[in-house]
Amino acid sequence: MTADAGPTSVDATAGVDAIADTGPTRADVAGTGGPTDATGLRRLAVDTLDANWEHDHTVPSRTLYPHQWSWDSAFIAIGLAQVRPDRAWRELTSLFRAQWADGRVPHIVFNPALRVGAYFPGPEMWRSADVPGAPTVATSGLVQPPVHALAALLAYRRAPDPTGLAALRRLYPAFVAQQRYLADRRDVAGDGLVCIVHPWESGLDNSPAWDEPMAAVPAEAAVMSAYRRHDTAHADAAHRPTDLDYARYLAIVAAYRDQGYSDRDLAAGHPFLVECPLFNAAFGAAEHALAEIAALVGADPGPHRARAARITEALLRRLHDRGAGTFQPRDLRTDRLVSARTVLGLTPLILPDLPTRQADALVVEARSARFGVARRMDRPLPTYDRTAPDFEPLRYWRGPSWLNIGWLVRRGLLAHGHPELAAGLRRSMIGLVAGAGCHEYFHPDTGVGLGSPAFSWTAALLLDLLAE
Ligand code: 9WN
């Protein structure tokens, strides 16, 4: 198959029970655009990952995102571990080769072989070469949720051989440095949580969660006339962030870059400072994973367990909204929790030490009409409260369903004793790909495929779901 040439769309969230519940048997998926059985789905996923493999990493999409992305590589490694374990380790190794001297893992590692303009904003905007401690290869200066240690642990569990153990040994100090960077340099409020300095760091770029903090970032949509956006040449502009969003994204990048990406004095004037529940849940989950990796590689798990407990405690203290029964981002510029109910709030469920009371409240939120998680889901999990007046079923992270988010929430449901809900979510996610192919995201009502039709983490996480 050719990259970005997957099937387009159609409804098929029902009828995958045979695949979802009993493994690789024929499923009765009526009138779909994707394969109809587990073997076909697995083939599609492997073909997608193979087509997107680029010398030492996997691009998220050949057209929209032709470089290496940080949290994509983590999700991708989880799937690769099943079918191409050597590539799973190369994926993580190439990403961490671009780690900065301060420990930050950049959210984009640019492929120097690609032409200028292959992605916007490219290396000319980030200018990482000007920063002492940045690697030789050009990168962005931002980070993304630290899901890499968890991914490495899960990859190793799928392929527990000497090569994997050697890779864990090599990567362990890099994961520790990644966590140390976040703990030491990004705890802007001094409360034990990580602060993100750009919506791109959340991975859910234009989530309604960022509307309040973004409204305070001074920028005019008109500045975009000076640039050529790459994304809208490959995807419908109505499904992407707006020009005003992009103008603000660029203004925040410029502010951070012009300080040399130094994290000193952020509180004094950086235009976007937010504590995100997903980012911090990943930060805590990383310490849990590192405790297990430490035990495997002969290091001390104790400090990781202690840090994990402190992160969960800080999340509860700072981001838990008791009235709403969910977690909300905190805007550090106003010191207030944002009010939009997004799927970000459900993700602390991945923390195994989240107390039962708060975990139960999250399950209530997940099952509510806002998110619709059920044993038999009639619609996929949306990224935003589907009852909200500004729910947008087509626009990126403002409604559509994404597999990485469903995959995280499903892990959380399993961790907190809800196997039937986890099974319902899994069936719904497999149904999305059976219906539309390995799309980047999906319409949260119809399951129609949106964005890139050959998206790597969809393929990788599908493999993981099929193997369960
Ligand atoms: C900006 C690569 C990345 C994902 C993000 C997703 C999107 C980039 C973009 O694509 O972001 O980083 O250009 O829109 O929001 O989660 O890592 O797949």
Side-chain angles (χ1 to χ4, degrees):
M1 67 173 267
T2 49
D4 279 11
T8 40
S9 69
V10 271
D11 167 44
T13 48
V16 290
D17 294 6
I19 299 172
D21 291 336
T22 62
T25 50
R26 172 131 197 102
D28 173 26
V29 183
T32 71
T36 57
D37 58 50
T39 308
L41 281 169
R42 226 174 252 125
R43 187 74 262 149
L44 172 68
V46 174
D47 286 350
T48 302
L49 290 172
D50 282 351
N52 288 349
W53 176 257
E54 180 61 51
H55 70 277
D56 63 1
H57 66 273
T58 310
V59 298
S61 146
R62 287 269 167 207
T63 54
L64 269 168
Y65 318 107
H67 301 282
Q68 182 173 27
W69 259 260
S70 170
W71 79 330
D72 297 63
S73 281
F75 292 125
I76 290 163
I78 294 168
L80 283 177
Q82 258 189 71
V83 290
R84 311 255 186 268
D86 56 317
R87 286 191 178 176
W89 301 117
R90 285 170 73 191
E91 183 84 41
L92 290 171
T93 302
S94 61
L95 176 69
F96 279 82
R97 213 180 290 130
Q99 187 168 29
W100 290 28
D102 62 12
R104 91 181 68 196
V105 178
H107 101 291
I108 308 173
V109 182
F110 291 103
N111 176 354
L114 294 188
R115 63 174 175 81
V116 174
Y119 174 77
F120 176 82
E124 64 289 348
M125 179 73 68
W126 299 94
R127 300 180 211 152
S128 62
D130 297 349
V131 187
T136 326
V137 65
T139 73
S140 76
L142 302 175
V143 297
Q144 272 185 327
V147 285
H148 311 80
L150 174 64
L153 178 65
L154 298 180
Y156 179 70
R157 287 201 189 132
R158 288 272 185 232
D161 56 22
T163 311
L165 192 56
L168 281 187
R169 251 186 245 292
R170 277 196 318 274
L171 287 164
Y172 173 72
F175 294 150
V176 171
Q178 175 186 29
Q179 291 288 99
R180 195 174 303 129
Y181 165 76
L182 297 172
D184 292 354
R185 305 273 301 266
R186 288 298 195 84
D187 184 359
V188 172
D191 58 5
L193 294 181
V194 176
C195 166
I196 59 171
V197 301
H198 195 296
W200 282 335
E201 295 203 311
S202 72
L204 276 69
D205 312 345
N206 68 340
S207 168
W210 316 134
D211 289 359
E212 288 165 30
M214 280 284 270
V217 177
E220 298 286 339
V223 305
M224 292 311 295
S225 60
Y227 301 101
R228 182 188 293 240
R229 277 179 68 173
H230 164 85
D231 58 327
T232 43
H234 295 280
D236 189 331
H239 302 176
R240 294 283 309 174
T242 63
D243 271 358
L244 180 56
D245 291 331
Y246 260 78
R248 288 178 169 142
Y249 295 155
L250 297 184
I252 306 170
V253 168
Y256 196 37
R257 180 200 60 204
D258 295 347
Q259 304 276 356
Y261 299 109
S262 154
D263 297 306
R264 255 165 295 171
D265 300 328
L266 284 171
H270 189 71
F272 184 94
L273 296 169
V274 175
E275 292 174 338
C276 165
L278 190 162
F279 199 110
N280 281 288
F283 181 51
E287 292 296 343
H288 285 285
L290 283 173
E292 294 196 46
I293 295 175
L296 287 165
V297 304
D300 182 3
H304 297 299
R305 291 208 188 98
R307 282 198 282 270
R310 287 200 294 273
I311 294 167
T312 299
E313 187 274 326
L315 258 161
L316 287 165
R317 191 165 27 85
R318 293 281 289 167
L319 304 189
H320 191 247
D321 181 335
R322 220 181 301 164
T326 187
F327 289 80
Q328 297 289 48
R330 181 175 292 274
D331 183 349
L332 292 185
R333 302 216 64 85
T334 59
D335 200 26
R336 290 224 302 266
L337 295 181
V338 306
S339 52
R341 302 273 274 255
T342 72
V343 80
L344 290 165
L346 302 180
T347 58
L349 266 182
I350 64 171
L351 294 170
D353 54 352
L354 195 69
T356 312
R357 192 158 55 86
Q358 286 84 0
D360 286 351
L362 285 188
V363 173
V364 170
E365 173 77 350
R367 299 181 72 161
S368 73
R370 283 184 282 280
F371 296 103
V373 172
R375 290 172 186 216
R376 299 200 69 83
M377 294 185 50
D378 54 4
R379 287 179 295 181
L381 176 69
T383 38
Y384 183 36
D385 171 1
R386 65 164 79 247
T387 67
D390 55 346
F391 178 74
E392 289 187 77
L394 292 171
R395 203 185 286 279
Y396 218 38
W397 295 101
R398 303 183 70 86
S401 189
W402 290 71
L403 243 67
N404 64 331
I405 296 298
W407 182 88
L408 287 168
V409 172
R410 174 177 174 272
R411 279 191 71 77
L413 290 168
L414 286 175
H416 290 279
H418 297 276
E420 300 88 357
L421 293 177
L425 191 49
R426 172 176 179 267
R427 199 180 299 120
S428 162
M429 286 190 278
I430 294 174
L432 285 174
V433 184
C438 287
H439 270 267
E440 185 181 0
Y441 46 103
F442 302 86
H443 191 292
D445 296 325
T446 64
V448 160
L450 301 167
S452 163
F455 193 64
S456 298
W457 83 38
T458 302
L461 297 176
L462 174 73
L463 285 174
D464 195 61
L465 292 171
L466 288 172
E468 295 277 303

